[in-house]
Amino acid sequence: MEQVERFVPRLVFARLQAVIPPRDLPKILYLIAMHPDGGSDAAIRQLGGFGLPEISGPAKPARGRIMLYAFKLLGRLRGLYPITRVRR
């Protein structure tokens, strides 16, 4: 996961913005941030849809990072964090 992790939040955020109504997205990100242990572990195993390698192993370590990313993405929606380009 370490090799692709920097790309995942931006890809997931773009997907969320495409499929979730703008008025609902802040609420969903807030729920994810406040309840990182809720929900299914199935999503972490579906990164192939983004063109990323499949991930195996325990999902528990990723949940803490998911919480942080949800807070950061919520901040981006609110204009607290600028959207930056990926450095190569």
Side-chain angles (χ1 to χ4, degrees), residues 6 9-10 13 73 76 80-87:
R6 68 183 183 142
R10 185 178 308 263
F13 190 45
L73 295 176
R76 288 193 196 292
L80 300 175
Y81 298 107
I83 297 176
T84 57
R85 298 182 59 91
V86 175
R87 288 182 259 161

Side-chain angles (χ1 to χ4, degrees), residues 2-84:
E2 292 176 13
Q3 298 85 0
V4 299
E5 183 177 1
R6 68 183 183 142
F7 301 108
V8 173
R10 185 178 308 263
L11 292 170
V12 170
F13 190 45
R15 177 72 175 153
L16 292 174
Q17 288 180 307
V19 300
I20 297 174
R23 71 184 188 324
D24 294 336
L25 187 54
K27 297 175 209 171
I28 291 170
L29 289 172
Y30 177 80
L31 287 172
I32 292 168
M34 296 303 292
H35 304 283
D37 291 327
S40 169
D41 289 340
I44 199 168
R45 310 225 190 296
Q46 298 175 4
L47 296 177
F50 292 107
L52 298 170
E54 295 296 326
I55 303 299
S56 62
K60 183 69 175 167
R63 289 190 176 268
R65 291 192 303 275
I66 290 167
M67 176 190 64
L68 294 174
Y69 288 133
F71 276 123
K72 286 182 179 183
L73 295 176
L74 187 57
R76 288 193 196 292
L77 283 178
R78 299 290 184 209
L80 300 175
Y81 298 107
I83 297 176
T84 57

